[in-house]
Amino acid sequence: MATTARSGGNASGSSAQRPNGTQQNKNCQFKLVLLGESAVGKSSLVLRFVKGQFHEYQESTIGAAFLTQTLCIEDTVVKFEIWDTAGQERYHSLAPMYYRGAQAAIVVYDIQNQDSFQRAKTWVKELHKQASPNIVIALAGNKADLSNIRVVEYEEAKQYAEENGLLFMETSAKTGMNVNDIFLAIAKKLPKNDGANNQGAPAGRRLNDNENNRQTNNCCK
Amino acid sequence: MHQSKSKPESRLAAITFFAKTHPGDVCGSNGLPLTPNSIAILGRAQKLKELKHPHLCQYLDFVRGKHERTIVVSEYFGTTLQDKSRSVLIEPLVVRIFYQIVCALKALTEHNLVVHNLEPKHVLLDDCDNVKLFNYGLYHMTRCGDYVPFPIGNVRYMSPERFLGSKNNIKSDIWSLGMIVAELLLQTKFWPNLKISNIARKILSFCQTNNVFERIAREHNCLERYEQINGELRILIENCLSVTPAKRPLPTDLFTHEVFSKDIEAYAYTEPPKPTILLYRCPLEQIYYWWQLAGGDVQGELKKEGLIRSEAPILAIPQLVCLNGKIVGPKRSQSYLMDDRVVPLKLNNLYEKLCNQPAMAYFPLIHSPKFPHNFGAGMEQLPLVIRERDIEYQFYRVRLFSRLLKGYPYTSEMIRKEAAKDIPPYLRGPIWSCLLDVIPIGSYGKIDKFTPTSTDRQIEVDIPRCHQYDELLSSPEGHCKLKRLLKAWVTAHPQYVYWQGLDSLTAPFLYLNFNNEELAFLSLYKFIPKYLQWFFLKDNSAIIKEYLSKFSQLTAFHEPLLAKHLASINFIPELFAIPWFLTMFSHVFPLHKIMHLWDKLMLGDSSYPLYIGIAILKQLKNTLLASGFNECILLFSDLPDIVMESCVFESQKMYECTPKSVSHRFHVLRETPLTEFDLTPDVTLSHLQAEMCPRISANDFTSLLHYAPTDMCALDLRSAVEFSHVRVPHSINVPFVAAQLAEPRLDALGVSQLVEMLQGRIVICMSNKHEHEFSKFLVECGVQRVCVLHKGFNILHTIEPNILISN
């Protein structure tokens, strides 16, 4: 789908409220996308992070859902614009619309499910190939509360993450374990000092900019 | 036709019990909480509602109460055999009862059911001495008693192998039957003073006996009576009481036995006289439904009888909770113990409400010249929720539709007409299937639903997330059924694949036809091509893109300012509307809202859902107009409460006032081929995406001109010279001047009273060029219902008979 998941609204949006001149607080907005096999807990992670809730029977995501959450790191206010995508392989063709121009991605797998880990690796490859070159990728081994019936070993995933330069944590949306931490770790790793992510210069976030360059090679992927 | 005023006797009763509670905070292997047993019972029990047999009490409803309480409502009347046998029954009557219980058991075996709690208390007799079994489904619904904390069956009538753990053998019921009949023939109650444990010991001791019947007779000093019993009958009972189950006859063996067949007239079911009360001639499930509408409340009745007692929760607080979940504290209250009393549900209230209804309302003569009777007329103006809860209105509707459904497919047209008023919730499942032109032919049974496929994993992870707030859909039975339906649909459509969302789309049909999987399947089978043709192709992007582009165009058509705003913030339907349309809103609304939405959808064509989408936007219009991209998309990620009634009303209104070609999509199931005066296939996706306003066909244009000239306003963009040569009657000439369009202000066009002339009409821009540019300008000025004549002005020259005026 040759469309954009994110428009320019941000340039004149909330970050503009910052009074000019007083530089004590920096405001950053980052677009973050969640990818991974279906039923690994992507929506649950977001729900836990954004609303502190957990639904046992979280509905499946069709297309994608959008949520935002703000974090404070030292003197910086970081606002995440989170695109939570559908997991089913068939919705794959929609994914570029969401990860294009994203500064961060969380690739989620289920520690009880080997296939979902393989799928996560495929996502990582695709992101390396197609997403912005500076994208910060985190790998989340979700459902860590069920670690007594795990299939994917912590060490294995950890090693894979290190080899590929990914942040890595095992998380549990159900208990809340590591959920905030993984978002925080991403926020820390994202560049905040240059003007790129600050008010007025949302180049990194504008999908349309990137899109024009990329349109040709990812219409089928 | 006045009914006799005899007092109505009760025909319904409720029993209640508790399901086993799961200990503490236990999760299943998938990490999800265990399904409460009461929900599992509810799912399994549904099938019992379908059993309709003269010798079986009909099951009507299963209700969950607090703390795993389960309430069962079923048919109940007459006398129990337990009461009846207090006086001596003559042998022919005993044989009759014997035979009729056999008939009941035979019917149950045909449905792969066993009773396992057969005892005189569960055998009811009516005035004609017809037998009906009661409470025969307890064992099935509790999955062999697994879901309840108490044992099922009366020890006195239990076969020896049941004590040893054998289950699910109809022969165990034959033993119980043998015991019941033996008691009746020997005219004594066996072991009246023994404790349960001693009775059990007694029965197990029979394992050493060759002739159980004789031994019992001896023990009860009835040998004389035993010997007087007709030899053939005695042997039959002895066979039923064989210690080895294999030696006992099957219900089918008994059914054709000489003992009965020699005087079958005397033993077979006697048709009772037709009830004088018309209400009782209606199906019992309808009576129960109305009983509820008339204020009937099962839980209330059970409370009145003391079967449900509420206690202050504080009294149940444990004194100590161990880390392993063990609880030390007050003993479980007596009110949680099994109490097998049967509570009749009184019909007086319902009877009083309906006794003055004329026979014509009970049995509408749909083909008589007197039809339609205006039953319930005037109520159509009341809000739907009120109509749905009004006992009289629902009585008329249910009776009318029951009749109409019987005549389907010949009554299709009448069903459609009546459904347009409203659809009674009680019959929604079958009515929808009629609206979808479903005709069951038994094809569902032939579809493979079991062979593993590559889609199974996806289906399995989606089902436990699909409308799980609903008791039926969250029950294990519901999960199995949904899985079968989805697998069947995928198997039946090799050209399509399973897209997430198909589960949500199937859920309403399963919910409504829980006991009729075939009807659920066929409804889905017909629904998809009607509204979602080609959506489930492996590559559906062309279809979805066309759909969403049309959605944008129609939004501009009906809500120009909103469309303009959304376009300006780049808030495109791709980001929020895919789940809306792919699932026909079944993924975004709870079931009860989907019901009312689809009631109307079913009556519309494939374009109807687009108007529902616009109606939702319209309802949120003010918020959307005041919001930027982020706020808008957040709003839709967590769709706020949409008022269904106004959503349905608005979509209906837009649907009715939009010319068909304006909503034209290429990817629909088409019954008649397109002509050159329709929208031709040369309108491609890129046209759709580039043009803000929809096109109208020459056909629709002409019919508007002929039949509703006041509903339209044709704007002719050609030059004044061309216009003066030839033009459409009543059209307005607005020669196209690009410069006028610089700012979105209508008065820049220099046409006096243009706003008034366009108000409330379909505005058709005609030209041979520039019409798209111009129509976009109108939308930006906030003009509603702007469209563009397809193929430009020139197409009008070829229309016959001529519609143009030339000088």
Side-chain angles (χ1 to χ4, degrees):
Chain A
M1 254 164 233
T3 38
T4 61
R6 183 63 185 91
S7 72
N10 44 20
S12 56
S14 51
S15 52
Q17 294 156 359
R18 184 170 63 90
N20 275 338
T22 53
Q23 280 291 346
Q24 24 173 265
N25 270 331
K26 274 188 285 183
N27 281 347
C28 290
Q29 277 189 57
F30 294 111
K31 180 180 159 187
L32 181 147
V33 62
L34 274 102
L35 299 166
E37 175 74 275
S38 63
V40 296
K42 294 180 294 301
S43 305
S44 294
L45 280 177
V46 180
L47 190 70
R48 172 63 79 185
F49 175 58
V50 173
K51 297 187 181 166
Q53 298 172 349
F54 178 74
H55 297 161
E56 302 279 4
Y57 304 103
Q58 177 68 35
E59 290 152 13
S60 56
T61 308
I62 293 174
F66 179 81
L67 287 124
T68 60
Q69 176 66 305
T70 308
L71 283 178
C72 285
I73 312 172
E74 293 154 10
D75 61 340
T76 315
V77 179
V78 174
K79 183 174 181 191
F80 278 118
E81 297 172 358
I82 305 164
W83 285 97
D84 170 25
T85 63
Q88 194 190 8
E89 173 60 25
R90 300 198 193 292
Y91 286 96
H92 193 162
S93 62
L94 294 174
M97 177 162 104
Y98 301 108
Y99 67 63
R100 233 180 271 139
Q103 287 99 340
I106 302 182
V107 178
V108 189
Y109 68 92
D110 171 358
I111 63 163
Q112 303 176 86
N113 182 330
Q114 187 66 42
D115 290 345
S116 74
F117 184 52
Q118 294 311 320
R119 185 84 190 92
K121 290 181 179 176
T122 327
W123 275 119
V124 171
K125 262 187 222 150
E126 180 170 338
L127 286 174
H128 279 151
K129 232 192 282 174
Q130 313 260 4
S132 344
N134 308 329
I135 189 167
V136 173
I137 306 175
L139 182 67
N142 195 33
K143 307 197 187 176
D145 52 292
L146 299 171
S147 68
N148 54 336
I149 46 169
R150 72 161 66 236
V151 175
V152 183
E153 289 306 323
Y154 179 84
E155 287 306 323
E156 184 190 354
K158 172 97 184 144
Q159 192 190 339
Y160 169 79
E162 277 168 8
E163 285 164 7
N164 289 275
L166 318 175
L167 290 166
F168 171 65
M169 281 185 201
E170 283 196 348
T171 56
S172 166
K174 186 170 178 175
T175 65
M177 165 187 153
N178 278 344
V179 175
N180 286 346
D181 309 64
I182 199 163
F183 282 91
L184 206 61
I186 293 169
K188 282 184 179 155
K189 206 174 163 186
L190 284 163
K192 288 166 291 288
N193 39 7
D194 55 41
N197 297 308
N198 283 343
Q199 167 204 8
R205 271 166 288 135
R206 270 199 180 257
L207 272 186
N208 356 18
D209 302 2
N210 276 347
E211 189 195 12
N212 294 337
N213 311 332
R214 291 187 175 274
Q215 212 162 30
T216 44
N217 58 7
N218 63 34
C219 51
C220 56
K221 267 261 115 186
Chain B
M1 275 286 269
H2 275 284
Q3 303 171 37
S4 82
K5 296 280 176 188
S6 62
K7 265 270 173 193
E9 54 167 327
S10 173
R11 308 208 147 192
L12 312 173
I15 54 168
T16 181
F17 55 86
F18 283 101
K20 222 186 258 177
T21 45
H22 291 302
D25 205 18
V26 185
C27 284
S29 58
N30 55 359
L32 291 174
L34 296 171
T35 312
N37 282 323
S38 56
I39 288 199
I41 291 174
L42 206 70
R44 276 181 77 83
Q46 296 306 315
K47 150 179 179 180
L48 297 168
K49 285 186 191 166
E50 293 308 299
L51 293 176
K52 285 168 198 162
H53 188 273
H55 297 302
L56 296 173
C57 282
Q58 193 183 340
Y59 276 99
L60 295 162
D61 198 11
F62 310 95
V63 187
R64 277 181 80 218
K66 276 187 194 160
H67 311 300
E68 290 295 85
R69 179 184 289 286
T70 305
I71 301 163
V72 178
V73 182
S74 88
E75 183 180 8
Y76 189 89
F77 63 94
T79 334
T80 64
L81 183 56
Q82 190 178 31
D83 289 340
K84 185 115 177 166
S85 63
R86 293 217 168 94
S87 52
V88 173
L89 307 184
I90 51 162
E91 195 176 295
L93 179 56
V94 175
V95 179
R96 180 181 166 96
I97 292 168
F98 188 5
Y99 174 72
Q100 296 201 355
I101 298 178
V102 166
C103 294
L105 292 180
K106 181 170 161 281
L108 290 170
T109 356
E110 282 158 12
H111 290 91
N112 295 320
L113 293 169
V114 293
V115 185
H116 284 16
N117 66 349
L118 190 58
E119 57 170 305
K121 205 165 63 176
H122 295 155
V123 177
L124 306 183
L125 290 151
D126 69 8
D127 296 342
C128 312
D129 286 331
N130 287 316
V131 164
K132 265 184 203 279
L133 288 196
F134 172 70
N135 201 12
Y136 51 88
L138 186 63
Y139 190 76
H140 166 77
M141 70 175 87
T142 58
R143 209 181 75 183
C144 316
D146 285 356
Y147 295 149
V148 284
F150 53 86
I152 291 176
N154 184 336
V155 170
R156 203 180 295 272
Y157 302 92
M158 209 178 267
S159 62
E161 73 276 5
R162 285 262 283 132
F163 287 99
L164 305 176
S166 156
K167 22 169 129 163
N168 288 321
N169 189 345
I170 189 75
K171 298 279 185 80
S172 306
D173 295 334
I174 297 293
W175 169 285
S176 312
L177 171 59
M179 291 297 266
I180 291 171
V181 178
E183 271 192 341
L184 294 176
L185 289 172
L186 299 181
Q187 297 165 13
T188 180
K189 191 170 174 156
F190 299 157
W191 315 296
N193 302 318
L194 281 191
K195 287 198 293 188
I196 287 184
S197 54
N198 289 338
I199 297 176
R201 220 165 278 143
K202 197 97 199 157
I203 292 171
L204 284 170
S205 75
F206 288 156
C207 296
Q208 320 278 331
T209 317
N210 281 330
N211 189 336
V212 175
F213 191 18
E214 189 196 359
R215 183 167 147 194
I216 295 176
R218 231 179 256 285
E219 278 183 14
H220 289 83
N221 299 324
C222 310
L223 201 58
E224 204 175 319
R225 237 178 244 144
Y226 166 79
E227 279 160 355
Q228 283 164 4
I229 299 170
N230 167 312
E232 234 176 344
L233 177 61
R234 199 175 65 202
I235 292 169
L236 197 58
I237 292 161
E238 284 166 4
N239 286 342
C240 291
L241 294 176
S242 305
V243 173
T244 325
K247 288 191 185 153
R248 290 175 216 153
L250 281 168
T252 41
D253 303 332
L254 290 169
F255 183 68
T256 49
H257 198 278
E258 176 73 358
V259 168
F260 307 121
S261 58
K262 66 184 177 200
D263 195 6
I264 196 73
E265 299 267 300
Y267 306 140
Y269 181 74
T270 321
E271 196 67 49
K274 268 199 169 183
T276 47
I277 299 176
L278 285 178
L279 179 64
Y280 285 175
R281 297 190 193 176
C282 299
L284 208 53
E285 59 271 29
Q286 292 183 2
I287 296 177
Y288 173 66
Y289 177 65
W290 298 323
W291 177 80
Q292 288 172 292
L293 288 180
D297 166 23
V298 184
Q299 303 222 31
E301 298 296 319
L302 291 173
K303 271 184 199 146
K304 265 189 239 160
E305 290 298 315
L307 259 90
I308 297 181
R309 273 177 286 170
S310 45
E311 279 163 15
I314 197 164
L315 297 176
I317 290 180
Q319 287 153 343
L320 183 71
V321 180
C322 303
L323 285 174
N324 62 7
K326 261 200 168 170
I327 287 173
V328 183
K331 275 213 185 114
R332 244 180 142 208
S333 143
Q334 289 283 316
S335 62
Y336 284 93
L337 295 178
M338 171 69 179
D339 183 338
D340 65 356
R341 267 181 293 163
V342 179
V343 176
L345 306 178
K346 295 181 190 72
L347 293 177
N348 302 10
N349 240 352
L350 175 65
Y351 174 74
E352 275 161 28
K353 290 228 158 102
L354 297 181
C355 62
N356 291 325
Q357 295 296 341
M360 193 68 123
Y362 280 94
F363 303 101
L365 300 171
I366 51 174
H367 293 297
S368 110
K370 286 185 193 160
F371 184 82
H373 262 274
N374 289 327
F375 294 125
M379 291 200 60
E380 277 147 35
Q381 305 308 319
L382 292 173
L384 187 60
V385 277
I386 293 183
R387 273 178 279 159
E388 285 190 348
R389 285 179 199 156
D390 188 278
I391 160 73
E392 268 182 45
Y393 189 69
Q394 288 306 314
F395 167 74
Y396 299 137
R397 300 298 279 169
V398 168
R399 289 313 294 164
L400 174 60
F401 272 103
S402 307
R403 197 39 78 107
L404 291 174
L405 288 170
K406 284 201 178 113
Y408 177 79
Y410 306 101
T411 47
S412 282
E413 272 320 299
M414 289 165 104
I415 290 176
R416 201 163 279 276
K417 203 176 125 219
E418 287 297 328
K421 292 183 196 159
D422 58 43
I423 293 179
Y426 176 77
L427 293 170
R428 187 172 271 133
I431 293 173
W432 278 9
S433 71
C434 294
L435 298 177
L436 291 166
D437 299 320
V438 166
I439 295 181
I441 43 162
S443 54
Y444 181 64
K446 295 178 198 146
I447 301 172
D448 177 9
K449 310 161 197 82
F450 302 101
T451 308
T453 66
S454 56
T455 312
D456 291 359
R457 195 251 159 194
Q458 192 64 52
I459 292 177
E460 263 155 35
V461 298
D462 286 346
I463 287 175
R465 305 188 278 171
C466 182
H467 293 289
Q468 292 300 294
Y469 52 85
D470 179 70
E471 290 171 343
L472 286 183
L473 294 182
S474 66
S475 68
E477 196 68 23
H479 285 192
C480 292
K481 282 172 183 281
L482 187 51
K483 184 174 169 187
R484 279 200 295 265
L485 284 169
L486 291 172
K487 280 182 72 85
W489 190 88
V490 174
T491 314
H493 296 88
Q495 72 277 37
Y496 295 141
V497 295
Y498 174 83
W499 281 84
Q500 268 189 317
L502 188 67
D503 52 334
S504 307
L505 198 58
T506 311
F509 295 115
L510 174 58
Y511 171 79
L512 291 179
N513 304 295
F514 200 78
N515 276 330
N516 192 341
E517 247 175 83
E518 171 157 35
L519 205 59
F521 175 79
L522 292 176
S523 301
L524 176 72
Y525 188 90
K526 290 281 199 167
F527 182 86
I528 289 179
K530 190 167 173 192
Y531 299 103
L532 292 163
Q533 176 74 332
W534 297 313
F535 265 68
F536 292 91
L537 281 174
K538 196 167 180 192
D539 180 5
N540 59 6
S541 59
I543 291 89
I544 293 202
K545 281 177 194 169
E546 185 197 34
Y547 204 95
L548 297 178
S549 305
K550 185 46 84 177
F551 177 56
S552 295
Q553 283 193 340
L554 286 175
T555 310
F557 188 77
H558 288 289
E559 287 296 323
L561 291 176
L562 193 55
K564 180 185 162 192
H565 173 69
L566 297 182
S568 74
I569 58 169
N570 225 343
F571 186 68
I572 51 172
E574 273 79 354
L575 298 175
F576 61 92
I578 293 177
W580 291 10
F581 297 121
L582 186 77
T583 69
M584 285 298 130
F585 307 93
S586 62
H587 191 75
V588 286
F589 290 126
L591 283 165
H592 71 272
K593 289 193 171 182
I594 300 167
M595 297 300 141
H596 289 146
L597 197 59
W598 284 18
D599 275 354
K600 285 285 174 273
L601 172 66
M602 298 280 173
L603 296 162
D605 65 17
S606 64
S607 70
Y608 195 90
L610 291 161
Y611 303 108
I612 299 175
I614 301 171
I616 294 175
L617 292 182
K618 208 170 162 180
Q619 209 164 104
L620 303 171
K621 187 173 172 181
N622 290 338
T623 320
L624 289 172
L625 281 176
S627 304
F629 178 87
N630 271 11
E631 292 77 24
C632 286
I633 193 84
L634 278 174
L635 191 66
F636 284 123
S637 282
D638 216 352
L639 199 63
D641 223 8
I642 298 289
V643 183
M644 269 309 133
E645 194 147 19
S646 67
C647 180
V648 165
F649 177 76
E650 288 294 335
S651 46
Q652 185 75 25
K653 221 167 65 178
M654 289 185 273
Y655 175 71
E656 281 164 9
C657 76
T658 313
K660 284 284 162 252
S661 60
V662 165
S663 64
H664 167 92
R665 288 183 300 120
F666 181 67
H667 292 113
V668 293
L669 196 63
R670 211 175 301 285
E671 275 157 16
T672 47
L674 294 169
T675 70
E676 58 175 316
F677 299 113
D678 291 309
L679 288 191
T680 40
D682 56 313
V683 187
T684 61
L685 181 63
S686 53
H687 289 112
L688 272 178
Q689 289 173 332
E691 296 163 8
M692 190 166 208
C693 294
R695 301 183 180 211
I696 187 169
S697 69
N699 270 341
D700 278 348
F701 180 83
T702 349
S703 56
L704 273 175
L705 199 61
H706 283 303
Y707 304 113
T710 53
D711 286 354
M712 67 177 288
C713 176
L715 296 183
D716 195 328
L717 309 183
R718 297 169 309 144
S719 69
V721 179
E722 285 171 292
F723 184 77
S724 66
H725 283 312
V726 59
R727 60 189 158 86
V728 175
H730 313 297
S731 63
I732 302 168
N733 188 214
V734 189
F736 181 80
V737 183
Q740 291 172 336
L741 312 186
E743 270 187 46
R745 280 176 35 234
L746 272 187
D747 48 7
L749 296 176
V751 181
S752 63
Q753 290 185 313
L754 188 60
V755 180
E756 289 76 15
M757 283 191 281
L758 301 183
Q759 186 78 45
R761 294 176 182 232
I762 295 169
V763 180
I764 302 160
C765 307
M766 307 182 295
S767 169
N768 293 316
K769 47 190 174 185
H770 306 307
E771 57 265 53
H772 296 295
E773 217 179 324
F774 186 79
S775 62
K776 186 168 179 234
F777 165 80
L778 290 181
V779 169
E780 284 172 354
C781 295
V783 178
Q784 274 191 313
R785 300 187 200 165
V786 179
C787 55
V788 166
L789 180 61
H790 176 53
K791 289 191 176 170
F793 188 87
N794 288 348
I795 184 79
L796 301 179
H797 288 294
T798 49
I799 286 182
E800 281 177 8
N802 178 40
I803 54 166
L804 298 175
I805 308 169
S806 43
N807 286 332

